[in-house]
Amino acid sequence: MNSQKFHVVIDGCINATISRLHIIAPSTSPNTDGIDVGSSTNVLINNCTMETGDDCIAIKGGTSNITISEIACGPGHGISVGSLGQGGKRDEVEGISVSNCTFNRTQNGVRIKTWQGGSGFARNINFSYINFTEADNPVIIDQFYCPHQICTNKTSAVEVSNVTFTGLRGTSICTNSTVSLQCSDTVPCTNIVLADVDITSADPQNPTSAVCLNAYGIAQDTYNPTVDCLIDTK
């Protein structure tokens, strides 16, 4: 409760299990991530409740084979892969599964965030059976992550590929894009799949929408919003 920074950090670990935690911090408290995982492999996180001022869970570089399930997140900034590639760093993340999680009035939902100028990869990532309640920014891939809004354009990027979003349900208060896939000109996102997506607007006057930039993949049965902006590789 009320950690001054991250509540739990898993770093340099193999075969770790975290379950039945209840993490609490004010929604306005900066950098109070629930659980951060870095440089680790074969980690299971399940059946936890997280109310924080930042990411409920953040997956950092050097991490593989992470299974996250049955997480109740909110308030907070959602579950994130990243940020990756800050300061030109090479980061590698693969084999991430996030399933059967709920997001209640979170600032973001499921997110991949990378800085310009980095390198490496974020690949083989699956978000499935996610439920949102009045979440802002439910689905994000952002290869232009820049929280301070003063960043130099750079051509290198962490490569994002083989990412699946399936079985996404609920409501959103997002006034911009319910699904936002913003990828690099030089290192675009590839093999992105959205399937069985139905996220309605909590405000009937503000319809849901999707926006894509340099994102290659397919969308199937995306009812709300209609995701027709992916570049088909066929």
Side-chain angles (χ1 to χ4, degrees), residues 3 37 65 67 78 80 85 93 124 171 175 184 186-187 190 199-201 215 217 224:
S3 171
V37 183
N65 299 331
T67 301
S80 297
V93 171
N124 303 331
T171 60
T175 57
S184 165
T186 53
V187 189
T190 58
I199 305 169
T200 60
S201 176
N224 285 295

Side-chain angles (χ1 to χ4, degrees), residues 47 57 63 69 90 109 152 161 185 192 219 227-228 232:
N47 192 22
I57 300 174
T63 300
S69 66
R90 178 177 179 85
T152 303
S161 65
D185 293 335
I192 308 301
V227 181
D228 56 7
D232 195 336

Side-chain angles (χ1 to χ4, degrees), residues 77-145:
H77 293 186
I79 294 178
S80 297
V81 175
S83 63
L84 306 175
Q86 184 174 7
K89 185 179 179 182
R90 178 177 179 85
D91 278 322
E92 299 179 354
V93 171
E94 62 182 334
I96 310 299
S97 173
V98 178
S99 64
N100 297 300
C101 296
T102 61
F103 297 83
N104 186 8
R105 296 177 175 85
T106 52
Q107 185 181 101
N108 306 294
V110 290
R111 174 169 61 156
I112 299 172
K113 51 181 179 177
T114 71
W115 294 77
Q116 293 185 75
S119 63
F121 55 77
R123 65 192 184 196
N124 303 331
I125 298 168
N126 181 40
F127 300 101
S128 60
Y129 306 111
I130 307 295
N131 191 271
F132 305 99
T133 301
E134 296 186 5
D136 205 357
N137 308 305
V139 179
I140 298 173
I141 295 178
D142 183 8
Q143 282 187 300
F144 304 95
Y145 181 66

Side-chain angles (χ1 to χ4, degrees), residues 160-173:
V160 177
S161 65
N162 299 329
V163 180
T164 300
F165 303 91
T166 185
L168 309 186
R169 293 283 186 276
T171 60
S172 171
I173 60 170

